[in-house]
Amino acid sequence: VQLQASGGGLVQAGGSLRLSCVASGKIFSINTMAWYRQAPGKQRELVSVFTSGGSTNYADSVKGRFTISRDNAKNTVYLQMDSLKPEDTAVYYCNAVIRSGALSSQYNYWGQGTLVTVSS
């Protein structure tokens, strides 16, 4: 199983970016899909999560600006980021809890990270 994230880049404050993350490989089911970020010198933090039941949660710092969505048919999770601020600058990582077979355990997978830089 692999997670491939894309969509990062350089944007001015107030701008928007859309991140995508595709899960591929031997996949039976995907539980939660989420986005984390890690800014320079800081710990990785949860940005948003989309559960298999359709619930979403956001970090307080991004509520009202970021929107997570999910396409189960494509094993893909998206993060629409609007009204970006310089403090959103970070490497963004996608995360998914995946079961590879009907009798398999669930495992936690990480994407490679995509850099988002917001200039002031």
Side-chain angles (χ1 to χ4, degrees), residues 64-117:
R65 300 188 298 120
F66 290 10
T67 303
I68 192 170
S69 60
R70 178 170 168 171
D71 186 333
N72 291 327
K74 296 181 179 179
N75 291 335
T76 300
V77 63
Y78 305 96
L79 186 68
Q80 177 66 41
M81 305 185 294
D82 299 318
S83 302
L84 282 161
K85 303 176 181 180
E87 51 264 43
D88 294 318
T89 295
V91 177
Y92 284 70
Y93 298 91
C94 59
N95 171 273
V97 178
I98 297 173
R99 191 186 304 273
S100 295
L103 301 179
S104 300
S105 299
Q106 295 184 119
Y107 292 96
N108 202 27
Y109 294 90
W110 291 92
Q112 84 285 7
T114 184
L115 177 62
V116 172
T117 304

Side-chain angles (χ1 to χ4, degrees), residues 47-66:
V47 175
S48 184
V49 61
F50 198 121
T51 71
S52 58
S55 300
T56 59
N57 279 295
Y58 298 90
D60 288 343
S61 59
V62 307
K63 281 181 181 177
R65 300 188 298 120
F66 290 10

